[in-house]
Amino acid sequence: MPLDAALYLNRELSLLAFFRRVLEEAHDERNPLLERVKFLSIVNSNLDEFFMVRVAGLKQQMAAGVMERSVDGLTPAEQLTRIHQVVADLVQGAREVLSQLLPLLAEAGIDVRDYTALTDQRPWPMTPVGLSPISPT
């Protein structure tokens, strides 16, 4: 019996919908400021992994000439097209949230700087992440 594609969700698009819900938490002013920053960070980290694993897999399928439709009825090329559309909207939303959060962070005394604006004058060496000291000087 053939499957009805309309009854299935695309796993990649479903995952992107989850990322959208996480981004909505970053946008929600009822959440504490640093929690909002954490949600935004989660979205960005998840998108990085999504491209490294899911999008890379679809591109490999395309390179191998796979034209078979998944159970949701989409070919790898069609999935990539839809992913591109959804991700463009998601990234725009993340930029908007970041532009809202940066002034709030500044008001809270949290100075967010571009890496190129940093100098060598620090009170102690920092880890690559820059969150905790390696050792006092």
Side-chain angles (χ1 to χ4, degrees), residues 5 9 15 20 22 26 30 33 36-37 42 63 79 82 85 90-91 94 97 103 106 108 117 119 123 133:
L9 298 173
L15 188 55
R20 167 63 66 194
V22 175
R30 294 174 296 179
L33 178 59
R36 294 174 68 192
V37 172
I42 290 168
Q79 291 178 65
R82 290 195 185 175
Q85 294 164 346
L90 195 58
V91 169
V97 170
T119 67

PDB file of all heavy atoms in Angstrom, residues 5 9 15 20 22 26 30 33 36-37 42 63 79 82 85 90-91 94 97 103 106 108 117 119 123 133:
ATOM      1  N   ALA A   5       2.009  10.885   1.501  1.00  0.00           N
ATOM      2  CA  ALA A   5       3.037  11.830   1.940  1.00  0.00           C
ATOM      3  C   ALA A   5       2.473  12.936   2.817  1.00  0.00           C
ATOM      4  O   ALA A   5       3.174  13.473   3.679  1.00  0.00           O
ATOM      5  CB  ALA A   5       3.752  12.422   0.722  1.00  0.00           C
ATOM      6  N   LEU A   9       5.611  14.313   8.334  1.00  0.00           N
ATOM      7  CA  LEU A   9       6.370  15.557   8.450  1.00  0.00           C
ATOM      8  C   LEU A   9       7.801  15.297   8.002  1.00  0.00           C
ATOM      9  O   LEU A   9       8.354  14.231   8.282  1.00  0.00           O
ATOM     10  CB  LEU A   9       6.384  16.053   9.899  1.00  0.00           C
ATOM     11  CG  LEU A   9       5.040  16.402  10.520  1.00  0.00           C
ATOM     12  CD1 LEU A   9       5.216  16.715  12.007  1.00  0.00           C
ATOM     13  CD2 LEU A   9       4.419  17.575   9.797  1.00  0.00           C
ATOM     14  N   LEU A  15      12.613  19.743  12.580  1.00  0.00           N
ATOM     15  CA  LEU A  15      13.675  20.191  13.476  1.00  0.00           C
ATOM     16  C   LEU A  15      13.840  21.710  13.410  1.00  0.00           C
ATOM     17  O   LEU A  15      14.013  22.375  14.438  1.00  0.00           O
ATOM     18  CB  LEU A  15      14.987  19.489  13.124  1.00  0.00           C
ATOM     19  CG  LEU A  15      16.157  19.688  14.084  1.00  0.00           C
ATOM     20  CD1 LEU A  15      15.789  19.310  15.510  1.00  0.00           C
ATOM     21  CD2 LEU A  15      17.349  18.868  13.611  1.00  0.00           C
ATOM     22  N   ARG A  20      12.734  27.236  15.730  1.00  0.00           N
ATOM     23  CA  ARG A  20      11.897  28.444  15.740  1.00  0.00           C
ATOM     24  C   ARG A  20      11.259  28.628  17.120  1.00  0.00           C
ATOM     25  O   ARG A  20      11.194  29.724  17.648  1.00  0.00           O
ATOM     26  CB  ARG A  20      10.828  28.353  14.643  1.00  0.00           C
ATOM     27  CG  ARG A  20       9.717  29.375  14.724  1.00  0.00           C
ATOM     28  CD  ARG A  20      10.139  30.802  14.577  1.00  0.00           C
ATOM     29  NE  ARG A  20      10.651  31.055  13.251  1.00  0.00           N
ATOM     30  CZ  ARG A  20      11.331  32.142  12.923  1.00  0.00           C
ATOM     31  NH1 ARG A  20      11.560  33.094  13.804  1.00  0.00           N
ATOM     32  NH2 ARG A  20      11.787  32.306  11.715  1.00  0.00           N
ATOM     33  N   VAL A  22      12.447  27.572  19.969  1.00  0.00           N
ATOM     34  CA  VAL A  22      13.508  27.988  20.883  1.00  0.00           C
ATOM     35  C   VAL A  22      13.803  29.476  20.682  1.00  0.00           C
ATOM     36  O   VAL A  22      13.971  30.226  21.655  1.00  0.00           O
ATOM     37  CB  VAL A  22      14.784  27.142  20.688  1.00  0.00           C
ATOM     38  CG1 VAL A  22      15.926  27.662  21.556  1.00  0.00           C
ATOM     39  CG2 VAL A  22      14.509  25.672  20.994  1.00  0.00           C
ATOM     40  N   ALA A  26      13.791  33.087  23.145  1.00  0.00           N
ATOM     41  CA  ALA A  26      14.778  34.167  23.201  1.00  0.00           C
ATOM     42  C   ALA A  26      14.104  35.525  23.005  1.00  0.00           C
ATOM     43  O   ALA A  26      14.558  36.535  23.526  1.00  0.00           O
ATOM     44  CB  ALA A  26      15.863  33.962  22.143  1.00  0.00           C
ATOM     45  N   ARG A  30       9.317  37.918  28.884  1.00  0.00           N
ATOM     46  CA  ARG A  30       9.024  37.394  30.224  1.00  0.00           C
ATOM     47  C   ARG A  30      10.184  36.572  30.769  1.00  0.00           C
ATOM     48  O   ARG A  30      10.286  36.368  31.978  1.00  0.00           O
ATOM     49  CB  ARG A  30       7.747  36.545  30.200  1.00  0.00           C
ATOM     50  CG  ARG A  30       6.496  37.355  29.876  1.00  0.00           C
ATOM     51  CD  ARG A  30       5.299  36.465  29.717  1.00  0.00           C
ATOM     52  NE  ARG A  30       5.522  35.593  28.553  1.00  0.00           N
ATOM     53  CZ  ARG A  30       4.684  34.670  28.142  1.00  0.00           C
ATOM     54  NH1 ARG A  30       3.559  34.463  28.782  1.00  0.00           N
ATOM     55  NH2 ARG A  30       4.955  33.931  27.077  1.00  0.00           N
ATOM     56  N   LEU A  33      16.907  38.064  31.130  1.00  0.00           N
ATOM     57  CA  LEU A  33      17.799  38.493  30.041  1.00  0.00           C
ATOM     58  C   LEU A  33      18.821  37.431  29.653  1.00  0.00           C
ATOM     59  O   LEU A  33      18.961  37.103  28.471  1.00  0.00           O
ATOM     60  CB  LEU A  33      18.501  39.799  30.433  1.00  0.00           C
ATOM     61  CG  LEU A  33      19.498  40.362  29.428  1.00  0.00           C
ATOM     62  CD1 LEU A  33      18.815  40.643  28.099  1.00  0.00           C
ATOM     63  CD2 LEU A  33      20.140  41.622  29.984  1.00  0.00           C
ATOM     64  N   ARG A  36      17.393  34.529  27.858  1.00  0.00           N
ATOM     65  CA  ARG A  36      17.105  34.867  26.457  1.00  0.00           C
ATOM     66  C   ARG A  36      18.367  34.742  25.608  1.00  0.00           C
ATOM     67  O   ARG A  36      18.322  34.219  24.488  1.00  0.00           O
ATOM     68  CB  ARG A  36      16.520  36.271  26.371  1.00  0.00           C
ATOM     69  CG  ARG A  36      15.148  36.376  27.023  1.00  0.00           C
ATOM     70  CD  ARG A  36      14.644  37.780  27.075  1.00  0.00           C
ATOM     71  NE  ARG A  36      14.360  38.264  25.715  1.00  0.00           N
ATOM     72  CZ  ARG A  36      14.126  39.530  25.432  1.00  0.00           C
ATOM     73  NH1 ARG A  36      14.127  40.448  26.388  1.00  0.00           N
ATOM     74  NH2 ARG A  36      13.866  39.886  24.190  1.00  0.00           N
ATOM     75  N   VAL A  37      19.482  35.205  26.165  1.00  0.00           N
ATOM     76  CA  VAL A  37      20.765  35.075  25.455  1.00  0.00           C
ATOM     77  C   VAL A  37      21.107  33.600  25.272  1.00  0.00           C
ATOM     78  O   VAL A  37      21.552  33.178  24.197  1.00  0.00           O
ATOM     79  CB  VAL A  37      21.889  35.811  26.215  1.00  0.00           C
ATOM     80  CG1 VAL A  37      23.251  35.512  25.603  1.00  0.00           C
ATOM     81  CG2 VAL A  37      21.623  37.307  26.252  1.00  0.00           C
ATOM     82  N   ILE A  42      21.602  28.740  21.866  1.00  0.00           N
ATOM     83  CA  ILE A  42      21.194  27.369  21.552  1.00  0.00           C
ATOM     84  C   ILE A  42      20.761  27.272  20.092  1.00  0.00           C
ATOM     85  O   ILE A  42      21.125  26.328  19.388  1.00  0.00           O
ATOM     86  CB  ILE A  42      20.074  26.902  22.510  1.00  0.00           C
ATOM     87  CG1 ILE A  42      20.651  26.700  23.914  1.00  0.00           C
ATOM     88  CG2 ILE A  42      19.409  25.629  21.996  1.00  0.00           C
ATOM     89  CD1 ILE A  42      19.590  26.524  24.988  1.00  0.00           C
ATOM     90  N   ALA A  63      24.708  14.738  -4.556  1.00  0.00           N
ATOM     91  CA  ALA A  63      25.931  14.458  -5.299  1.00  0.00           C
ATOM     92  C   ALA A  63      25.956  13.007  -5.801  1.00  0.00           C
ATOM     93  O   ALA A  63      26.521  12.720  -6.857  1.00  0.00           O
ATOM     94  CB  ALA A  63      27.149  14.739  -4.421  1.00  0.00           C
ATOM     95  N   GLN A  79      14.038  19.269  -0.471  1.00  0.00           N
ATOM     96  CA  GLN A  79      14.252  19.509   0.956  1.00  0.00           C
ATOM     97  C   GLN A  79      15.232  20.668   1.167  1.00  0.00           C
ATOM     98  O   GLN A  79      14.993  21.538   2.006  1.00  0.00           O
ATOM     99  CB  GLN A  79      14.782  18.246   1.632  1.00  0.00           C
ATOM    100  CG  GLN A  79      13.761  17.130   1.718  1.00  0.00           C
ATOM    101  CD  GLN A  79      14.334  15.887   2.339  1.00  0.00           C
ATOM    102  OE1 GLN A  79      14.689  15.903   3.519  1.00  0.00           O
ATOM    103  NE2 GLN A  79      14.438  14.816   1.559  1.00  0.00           N
ATOM    104  N   ARG A  82      13.536  24.013   0.536  1.00  0.00           N
ATOM    105  CA  ARG A  82      12.671  24.419   1.655  1.00  0.00           C
ATOM    106  C   ARG A  82      13.483  24.796   2.883  1.00  0.00           C
ATOM    107  O   ARG A  82      13.144  25.731   3.598  1.00  0.00           O
ATOM    108  CB  ARG A  82      11.675  23.314   1.977  1.00  0.00           C
ATOM    109  CG  ARG A  82      10.644  23.157   0.886  1.00  0.00           C
ATOM    110  CD  ARG A  82       9.489  22.348   1.350  1.00  0.00           C
ATOM    111  NE  ARG A  82       8.563  22.113   0.244  1.00  0.00           N
ATOM    112  CZ  ARG A  82       7.507  21.343   0.339  1.00  0.00           C
ATOM    113  NH1 ARG A  82       7.222  20.740   1.469  1.00  0.00           N
ATOM    114  NH2 ARG A  82       6.719  21.170  -0.701  1.00  0.00           N
ATOM    115  N   GLN A  85      14.767  28.318   2.586  1.00  0.00           N
ATOM    116  CA  GLN A  85      13.729  29.309   2.841  1.00  0.00           C
ATOM    117  C   GLN A  85      13.471  29.470   4.338  1.00  0.00           C
ATOM    118  O   GLN A  85      13.382  30.594   4.850  1.00  0.00           O
ATOM    119  CB  GLN A  85      12.428  28.907   2.129  1.00  0.00           C
ATOM    120  CG  GLN A  85      12.533  28.924   0.624  1.00  0.00           C
ATOM    121  CD  GLN A  85      11.394  28.161  -0.056  1.00  0.00           C
ATOM    122  OE1 GLN A  85      10.675  27.404   0.578  1.00  0.00           O
ATOM    123  NE2 GLN A  85      11.251  28.376  -1.360  1.00  0.00           N
ATOM    124  N   LEU A  90      14.669  32.141   9.813  1.00  0.00           N
ATOM    125  CA  LEU A  90      15.153  31.879  11.164  1.00  0.00           C
ATOM    126  C   LEU A  90      16.352  32.756  11.503  1.00  0.00           C
ATOM    127  O   LEU A  90      16.418  33.350  12.594  1.00  0.00           O
ATOM    128  CB  LEU A  90      15.515  30.400  11.283  1.00  0.00           C
ATOM    129  CG  LEU A  90      15.720  29.796  12.642  1.00  0.00           C
ATOM    130  CD1 LEU A  90      14.481  29.943  13.511  1.00  0.00           C
ATOM    131  CD2 LEU A  90      16.089  28.327  12.505  1.00  0.00           C
ATOM    132  N   VAL A  91      17.294  32.877  10.581  1.00  0.00           N
ATOM    133  CA  VAL A  91      18.484  33.709  10.809  1.00  0.00           C
ATOM    134  C   VAL A  91      18.090  35.180  10.930  1.00  0.00           C
ATOM    135  O   VAL A  91      18.613  35.899  11.789  1.00  0.00           O
ATOM    136  CB  VAL A  91      19.532  33.482   9.697  1.00  0.00           C
ATOM    137  CG1 VAL A  91      20.638  34.518   9.755  1.00  0.00           C
ATOM    138  CG2 VAL A  91      20.106  32.085   9.803  1.00  0.00           C
ATOM    139  N   ALA A  94      16.781  35.625  14.343  1.00  0.00           N
ATOM    140  CA  ALA A  94      17.867  35.620  15.327  1.00  0.00           C
ATOM    141  C   ALA A  94      18.598  36.965  15.335  1.00  0.00           C
ATOM    142  O   ALA A  94      18.959  37.474  16.403  1.00  0.00           O
ATOM    143  CB  ALA A  94      18.836  34.477  15.028  1.00  0.00           C
ATOM    144  N   VAL A  97      16.425  39.424  17.263  1.00  0.00           N
ATOM    145  CA  VAL A  97      16.505  39.196  18.706  1.00  0.00           C
ATOM    146  C   VAL A  97      17.833  39.717  19.237  1.00  0.00           C
ATOM    147  O   VAL A  97      17.870  40.391  20.273  1.00  0.00           O
ATOM    148  CB  VAL A  97      16.314  37.698  19.043  1.00  0.00           C
ATOM    149  CG1 VAL A  97      16.643  37.422  20.498  1.00  0.00           C
ATOM    150  CG2 VAL A  97      14.898  37.259  18.724  1.00  0.00           C
ATOM    151  N   PRO A 103      21.352  46.062  23.447  1.00  0.00           N
ATOM    152  CA  PRO A 103      21.173  47.238  24.309  1.00  0.00           C
ATOM    153  C   PRO A 103      20.756  46.866  25.740  1.00  0.00           C
ATOM    154  O   PRO A 103      21.174  47.526  26.693  1.00  0.00           O
ATOM    155  CB  PRO A 103      20.065  48.040  23.617  1.00  0.00           C
ATOM    156  CG  PRO A 103      19.968  47.516  22.244  1.00  0.00           C
ATOM    157  CD  PRO A 103      20.468  46.112  22.278  1.00  0.00           C
ATOM    158  N   ALA A 106      23.851  45.855  27.542  1.00  0.00           N
ATOM    159  CA  ALA A 106      24.637  47.041  27.876  1.00  0.00           C
ATOM    160  C   ALA A 106      24.052  47.749  29.095  1.00  0.00           C
ATOM    161  O   ALA A 106      24.795  48.168  29.993  1.00  0.00           O
ATOM    162  CB  ALA A 106      24.714  47.984  26.681  1.00  0.00           C
ATOM    163  N   ALA A 108      22.502  46.387  31.454  1.00  0.00           N
ATOM    164  CA  ALA A 108      22.769  45.530  32.611  1.00  0.00           C
ATOM    165  C   ALA A 108      24.256  45.494  32.961  1.00  0.00           C
ATOM    166  O   ALA A 108      24.662  44.775  33.871  1.00  0.00           O
ATOM    167  CB  ALA A 108      22.261  44.118  32.335  1.00  0.00           C
ATOM    168  N   ALA A 117      37.862  43.871  18.487  1.00  0.00           N
ATOM    169  CA  ALA A 117      37.967  45.037  19.361  1.00  0.00           C
ATOM    170  C   ALA A 117      38.687  44.725  20.668  1.00  0.00           C
ATOM    171  O   ALA A 117      38.989  45.638  21.437  1.00  0.00           O
ATOM    172  CB  ALA A 117      36.573  45.588  19.671  1.00  0.00           C
ATOM    173  N   THR A 119      41.712  43.763  23.218  1.00  0.00           N
ATOM    174  CA  THR A 119      43.137  44.068  23.309  1.00  0.00           C
ATOM    175  C   THR A 119      43.830  42.997  24.131  1.00  0.00           C
ATOM    176  O   THR A 119      43.186  42.120  24.713  1.00  0.00           O
ATOM    177  CB  THR A 119      43.367  45.441  23.971  1.00  0.00           C
ATOM    178  OG1 THR A 119      42.949  45.349  25.337  1.00  0.00           O
ATOM    179  CG2 THR A 119      42.594  46.528  23.252  1.00  0.00           C
ATOM    180  N   PRO A 123      43.181  41.162  32.794  1.00  0.00           N
ATOM    181  CA  PRO A 123      43.711  40.914  34.131  1.00  0.00           C
ATOM    182  C   PRO A 123      44.345  39.531  34.281  1.00  0.00           C
ATOM    183  O   PRO A 123      45.199  39.333  35.099  1.00  0.00           O
ATOM    184  CB  PRO A 123      42.495  41.057  35.036  1.00  0.00           C
ATOM    185  CG  PRO A 123      41.310  40.942  34.157  1.00  0.00           C
ATOM    186  CD  PRO A 123      41.743  41.345  32.785  1.00  0.00           C
ATOM    187  N   PRO A 133      38.901  32.095  33.957  1.00  0.00           N
ATOM    188  CA  PRO A 133      40.364  32.230  33.915  1.00  0.00           C
ATOM    189  C   PRO A 133      41.057  30.879  33.935  1.00  0.00           C
ATOM    190  O   PRO A 133      40.571  29.932  34.540  1.00  0.00           O
ATOM    191  CB  PRO A 133      40.678  33.020  35.175  1.00  0.00           C
ATOM    192  CG  PRO A 133      39.513  32.818  36.063  1.00  0.00           C
ATOM    193  CD  PRO A 133      38.327  32.558  35.189  1.00  0.00           C
TER     194      PRO A 133
END
